[in-house]
Amino acid sequence: MRAARLVINIVLFLLVLVLCINNSQIVTINLYGMYTLNVPLILALAILATIGFIIGILFNIPRNIKAKSQISKLEKELAKYTQKTSITDKTN
């Protein structure tokens, strides 16, 4: 299992390395016409991917909070029913 994970990690690293080497040309990014940046294409891609990742996490926070509160509610309900059934089992 560790060997398979190592092989997968090496292959992924090599794919990213080839991507970096092939996308090293300079691109110009215009920010609303006020600022211009000259950066390597791979850096621009990495920045945009990071921004997209952060936005995705931020949009999932409310859903995660709702799910955690529902889990808590269901755990309390389960504990209540478990307690009721254990009391009725003891009386029988």
Side-chain angles (χ1 to χ4, degrees):
M1 186 66 173
R2 282 188 172 188
R5 180 175 266 180
L6 178 64
V7 169
I8 290 171
N9 285 339
I10 290 172
V11 169
L12 287 175
F13 174 76
L14 291 174
L15 287 173
V16 170
L17 183 64
V18 169
L19 181 74
C20 291
I21 292 170
N22 288 332
N23 292 304
S24 61
Q25 60 268 30
I26 301 295
V27 295
T28 301
I29 299 174
N30 293 318
L31 301 172
Y32 302 111
M34 296 186 300
Y35 303 104
T36 58
L37 299 172
N38 292 321
V39 296
L41 178 60
I42 193 65
L43 181 63
L45 291 173
I47 290 170
L48 291 173
T50 303
I51 290 170
F53 180 74
I54 291 170
I55 289 171
I57 288 174
L58 291 176
F59 275 106
N60 278 320
I61 287 174
R63 193 170 100 189
N64 289 341
I65 291 172
K66 184 178 178 182
K68 286 181 182 181
S69 71
Q70 187 176 8
I71 288 170
S72 175
K73 178 183 168 187
L74 291 171
E75 285 175 342
K76 288 177 186 177
E77 194 174 322
L78 178 63
K80 184 176 80 173
Y81 287 123
T82 305
Q83 187 180 22
K84 280 184 180 180
T85 56
S86 66
I87 291 172
T88 56
D89 288 343
K90 290 179 184 178
T91 58
N92 290 335

